[in-house]
Amino acid sequence: QVQLVESGGGLVQAGGSLRLSCAASGRTFSSYAMGWFRQAPGKEREFVAGISWSGGSTKYADSVKGRFTISRDNAKKTVYLQMNSLKSEDTAVYYCAARGGTYVYPTAGQYNYWGQGTQVTVSS
């Protein structure tokens, strides 16, 4: 069982940066692949980035490649999403998710545990 709590969202101007954090509880955090998803009003939840349990493998949505970086600190049971060069279209609620196993999957249905979400608003 894993509980996830996101933080770090807020209001930022276009071109700015934010770093999201996702703190996990549970003894086996290091055995979970982690993902970040986002959902804008009226849109479906979409994959943003994912990282394997070891941190050795990452995946990104094309829309954020080169701007966002996912990382994790297993000792702190925390996964991060560094977001640079933010655009108005990045505005959404951002969710952290966990799935047991090694691999990163870019589909929400593959994840077992979800946080409550944190709002990111980018003003143009």
Side-chain angles (χ1 to χ4, degrees), residues 33-37 47 49-51 70 79 95-99 104 111 114:
M34 302 296 295
W36 284 98
F37 290 76
F47 174 78
I51 189 166
I70 190 171
V79 63
Y95 296 91
C96 174
R99 67 175 303 277
V104 177
Y111 291 78
W114 293 84

Side-chain angles (χ1 to χ4, degrees), residues 91-105:
T91 295
V93 177
Y94 282 71
Y95 296 91
C96 174
R99 67 175 303 277
T102 302
Y103 301 109
V104 177
Y105 288 92

Side-chain angles (χ1 to χ4, degrees), residues 35-121:
W36 284 98
F37 290 76
R38 66 188 182 187
Q39 188 166 18
K43 295 188 176 181
E44 292 189 354
R45 192 168 298 190
E46 65 174 0
F47 174 78
V48 175
I51 189 166
S52 63
W53 67 270
S54 68
S57 177
T58 57
K59 290 185 187 292
Y60 295 93
D62 288 342
S63 59
V64 307
K65 278 181 183 177
R67 300 189 298 123
F68 290 12
T69 302
I70 190 171
S71 62
R72 67 189 294 162
D73 184 334
N74 286 342
K76 294 183 178 179
K77 296 182 180 179
T78 303
V79 63
Y80 305 97
L81 185 68
Q82 178 67 43
M83 306 186 295
N84 299 329
S85 302
L86 282 161
K87 305 175 181 179
S88 57
E89 51 263 45
D90 295 319
T91 295
V93 177
Y94 282 71
Y95 296 91
C96 174
R99 67 175 303 277
T102 302
Y103 301 109
V104 177
Y105 288 92
T107 50
Q110 292 285 345
Y111 291 78
N112 309 102
Y113 304 101
W114 293 84
Q116 82 290 349
T118 185
Q119 176 71 47
V120 171
T121 303

